[in-house]
Amino acid sequence: MTKSALQIARASYLPKMPSVLNGNVEAVDGAQTQSVADQDDIKKLFPNTYGMPVVTFKKSDVKIDYPPINVGVILSGGQAPGGHNVIAGLFDGITKSNPDSKLYGFILGPKGLVDHNYKELTADIIDEYRNTGGFDIIGSGRTKLEKKEQFDKGLEILKKLKIKALVIIGGDDSNTNACVLAEYYKSINAGVQVIGCPKTIDGDLKNEQIETSFGFDTACKVYSEVIGNIQRDCNSARKYWHFIKLMGRSASHIALECALQTHPNICIISEEVAEKKQTLAKIVDNIAQIVKKRVEKGNNFGTVLIPEGLIEFIPEFKSLIAELNEYLVNNETEFKRIKKSERRAHIIDKLSNDHSKLYASLPENVALQLVMDRDEHGNTQVSLIETEKLLAEMVSSRMEKIIKRHKNKFPAGYKFSTQVHFFGYEGRCAAPSNYDADYCYSLGYTASQLILTGKTGYMASVRNTTAAANKWIAGGIPITMMMNLELRHGSMKPVIQKALVRLDGAPFKKFASKRNAWALNTDYVYPGPIQYFGPTEVCDEPSKTLQLEIGRKKRGSV
């Protein structure tokens, strides 16, 4: 490939990792674990992998001569910065234990395992992708590993290639599939270990043992750079309100982190909307009142950050979407036969009274977006709902009424003007920040040690990551420990519990203490691009969220 100057420079970057991984290690078992909820049901579903202890690695004086091992790796779900470094860390870990070990990558996600589509990842290939963004080394996909037929078909190629362990790099759903696969292979004594790695820019795969999912740090820094650029333009032109939607379907971690980095005038947190049972009208009125107050201070401009999944957290919309999902899942064939021009009227007729009125009140484009094809779980594809446009239009209408009622408080010729944006794909394949480059490499290397110490059904865990990298703690957490039961496709399924923004958590409290001042004043921060070279405190800085959650510690090599 043709390489940019930055790519060439990044190729020489040597990721930092926990000092415990430099040399011989042994796995230390902690206490037995249980699932985060629904313990009896989860235990019945995972009798072979439930209750395993949390594992922590420590240095060992015993050198073990490991035989060669063949390992498979899958990139699953949406892209996240740092995936290539997970693979590089995994490769280095298994080949350091024995140079004859091999790594096979399955092409385009889990489908590659089922279809027996793979390639060997040699040192030459791995070296081309170190410290780069994207998942293009083997590609990714969203096929779900859920059926026995898939497991058995995958086992055929694993046996043929003499693969003893499979690493699945993905989010909560992908790692749920890894957990199910680990249980099945162990139940039939297949001789194949399964290890997961926590990936998602949304930041909703975390707990006490998993401090953050990889890619979150980089994506938020990319989005914050662009938000900062928009705020600089906003403060220069002084005539637009920018409505900016950010990725984060099920949680508002990205919006919150970007708010902490850039100090926007308004940031909506979906979890707070749900907690306070705020209606769409209330959200619109809150924004309009801040617009009015800023105009009174001579500031006819501002920024609004909106989490991607906001619609599903507004109580009235949550129940509407639930009824829509149930109807469309049960009547999919019938609904697809209806002409698109007639679908809105059809849905209005089928919904219960309150939901019918709400649906009928929506702009045409939003109403149709709510009944688009569902995702693989049968849910509304909220990323396709243009929430930023909906809010911009509704605030504009609200401002027209306010201006008519309070003419004397607005300058002559005043006009409320908006711009809308959606930042999503721009951050998913960025070159990883130093934090993500280090964290991902450490996760991959940790996965290799979990394999070598005979573990299965575990997720690689690297903790204490606001400290210097050599002080990070490496180990593994049983995936069953994160599981609960949720309603999927009309039945209860075991899935990893998503981590939502905690309103009693330090990041939200910090934001809440500042947002009133940010709303009325122009206190914008312009973070600029990710820094890769220079002072460690600047280049290796972790996210604001992590600093607030686990404390700021001295970074760099000490």
Side-chain angles (χ1 to χ4, degrees):
M1 66 178 75
T2 301
K3 294 184 178 180
S4 68
L6 179 62
Q7 282 178 276
I8 294 169
R10 290 303 284 168
S12 64
Y13 179 76
L14 298 177
K16 303 178 286 294
M17 68 175 182
S19 60
V20 69
L21 298 179
N22 291 313
N24 306 315
V25 305
E26 66 174 289
V28 179
D29 291 347
Q32 299 297 300
T33 62
Q34 62 180 12
S35 59
V36 70
D38 307 306
Q39 288 82 14
D40 291 340
D41 292 320
I42 300 298
K43 185 176 182 178
K44 289 177 184 177
L45 291 169
F46 299 91
N48 295 285
T49 53
Y50 186 86
M52 299 185 298
V54 170
V55 167
T56 303
F57 291 125
K58 75 172 186 177
K59 285 185 176 294
S60 173
D61 296 328
V62 180
K63 185 180 186 305
I64 300 176
D65 293 323
Y66 290 104
I69 185 171
N70 291 356
V71 175
V73 64
I74 293 173
L75 291 167
S76 180
Q79 295 73 243
H84 289 153
N85 268 25
V86 178
I87 294 176
L90 174 62
F91 177 83
D92 289 353
I94 63 171
T95 55
K96 185 177 179 181
S97 72
N98 190 306
D100 293 327
S101 293
K102 293 182 179 180
L103 181 63
Y104 292 92
F106 290 96
I107 308 302
L108 292 176
K111 189 174 187 293
L113 177 69
V114 178
D115 293 345
H116 299 184
N117 187 10
Y118 65 91
K119 71 177 180 181
E120 183 180 351
L121 299 176
T122 62
D124 288 344
I125 295 173
I126 295 289
D127 289 346
E128 284 288 309
Y129 288 92
R130 293 177 187 271
N131 309 311
T132 61
F135 278 6
D136 45 314
I137 188 172
I138 52 175
S140 185
R142 295 187 180 275
T143 298
K144 302 301 176 186
L145 296 175
E146 299 175 311
K147 301 176 182 177
K148 180 179 181 296
E149 296 78 15
Q150 294 174 306
F151 303 160
D152 291 338
K153 191 68 176 175
L155 188 57
E156 290 177 12
I157 191 63
L158 295 175
K159 291 292 188 183
K160 180 180 177 180
L161 297 175
K162 298 180 179 178
I163 289 175
K164 297 296 183 182
L166 181 66
V167 176
I168 297 178
I169 302 168
D172 55 315
D173 285 321
S174 300
N175 276 283
T176 293
N177 295 157
C179 190
V180 173
L181 191 62
E183 174 66 28
Y184 177 71
Y185 283 164
K186 193 166 183 180
S187 72
I188 63 171
N189 296 314
V192 177
Q193 302 161 249
V194 182
I195 301 295
C197 280
K199 177 265 333 172
T200 171
I201 66 169
D202 290 356
D204 57 9
L205 175 50
K206 64 178 181 178
N207 48 56
E208 289 184 3
Q209 302 293 330
I210 307 295
E211 289 181 351
T212 187
S213 50
F214 79 76
F216 175 77
D217 184 82
T218 303
C220 288
K221 285 172 179 171
V222 170
Y223 299 144
S224 293
E225 175 195 353
V226 185
I227 293 167
N229 294 347
I230 285 175
Q231 291 187 153
R232 179 76 80 176
D233 183 274
C234 183
N235 197 15
S236 300
R238 304 192 179 192
K239 61 180 180 180
Y240 293 119
W241 272 83
H242 293 262
F243 288 73
I244 305 168
K245 185 172 73 173
L246 297 162
M247 268 196 171
R249 182 190 186 282
S250 300
S252 306
H253 297 293
I254 290 178
L256 178 57
E257 173 65 23
C258 290
L260 292 170
Q261 289 193 37
T262 63
H263 303 183
N265 301 107
I266 300 168
C267 177
I268 301 170
I269 302 299
S270 298
E271 291 84 346
E272 183 181 28
V273 169
E275 176 72 19
K276 293 183 176 180
K277 296 181 171 56
Q278 294 178 346
T279 63
L280 179 60
K282 179 64 175 176
I283 293 169
V284 169
D285 189 60
N286 287 344
I287 296 172
Q289 291 303 317
I290 291 173
V291 171
K292 177 175 175 289
K293 290 176 181 178
R294 283 184 61 80
V295 170
E296 291 171 356
K297 294 187 68 171
N299 296 319
N300 181 25
F301 60 91
T303 51
V304 183
L305 303 190
I306 306 160
E308 179 184 24
L310 172 64
I311 284 290
E312 287 190 305
F313 284 80
I314 300 173
E316 59 195 300
F317 273 92
K318 186 174 183 177
S319 57
L320 167 63
I321 289 172
E323 186 174 346
L324 282 173
N325 285 340
E326 183 178 1
Y327 173 77
L328 292 170
V329 166
N330 295 327
N331 301 274
E332 182 178 7
T333 303
E334 174 193 356
F335 185 71
K336 285 185 175 179
R337 292 197 189 106
I338 300 171
K339 293 180 181 179
K340 289 186 177 180
S341 60
E342 300 174 0
R343 288 182 177 179
R344 186 180 188 190
H346 175 83
I347 290 294
I348 290 172
D349 183 59
K350 295 295 182 181
L351 292 174
S352 58
N353 189 48
D354 288 344
H355 291 154
S356 179
K357 290 179 181 178
L358 174 60
Y359 188 79
S361 71
L362 297 174
E364 181 79 17
N365 63 325
V366 175
L368 292 177
Q369 286 163 5
L370 281 170
V371 294
M372 284 181 178
D373 290 341
R374 325 318 273 166
D375 66 14
E376 60 271 21
H377 306 298
N379 297 320
T380 302
Q381 298 191 70
V382 294
S383 63
L384 301 180
I385 300 173
E386 296 173 315
T387 319
E388 69 281 20
K389 290 185 180 180
L390 172 65
L391 289 178
E393 290 176 11
M394 294 188 72
V395 173
S396 293
S397 297
R398 184 78 179 90
M399 285 306 301
E400 287 180 8
K401 296 177 182 178
I402 291 175
I403 292 168
K404 287 180 180 179
R405 193 179 309 132
H406 303 282
K407 284 184 180 180
N408 60 320
K409 293 190 176 181
F410 292 87
Y414 170 79
K415 182 181 179 182
F416 177 73
S417 300
T418 64
Q419 298 286 341
V420 295
H421 315 267
F422 174 36
F423 298 147
Y425 294 98
E426 297 87 342
R428 298 204 311 183
C429 288
S433 63
N434 282 1
Y435 174 88
D436 268 331
D438 297 345
Y439 181 56
C440 290
Y441 186 84
S442 298
L443 284 172
Y445 207 99
T446 298
S448 76
Q449 301 308 300
L450 288 169
I451 292 168
L452 294 174
T453 52
K455 306 301 180 184
T456 190
Y458 277 80
M459 185 183 293
S461 170
V462 177
R463 311 189 301 280
N464 197 38
T465 62
T466 59
N470 63 340
K471 293 183 179 180
W472 292 358
I473 300 168
I477 176 174
I479 303 177
T480 54
M481 188 179 176
M482 297 176 266
M483 304 284 270
N484 69 166
L485 293 178
E486 291 182 14
L487 184 65
R488 296 284 178 90
H489 289 290
S491 60
M492 300 303 289
K493 299 286 187 182
V495 294
I496 291 174
Q497 187 179 73
K498 288 185 182 293
L500 303 182
V501 169
R502 291 180 50 182
L503 302 185
D504 61 349
F508 179 80
K509 285 184 175 180
K510 177 72 172 181
F511 161 73
S513 72
K514 298 290 185 180
R515 61 178 164 186
N516 289 340
W518 294 348
L520 301 183
N521 303 317
T522 304
D523 188 34
Y524 300 151
V525 175
Y526 314 110
I530 294 173
Q531 299 299 300
Y532 298 106
F533 312 100
T536 298
E537 285 295 306
V538 175
C539 298
D540 294 359
E541 183 179 39
S543 66
K544 304 291 185 186
T545 296
L546 263 183
Q547 292 179 44
L548 289 165
E549 284 179 337
I550 62 178
R552 178 70 180 272
K553 302 174 184 179
K554 188 175 181 181
R555 295 277 292 161
S557 296
V558 295

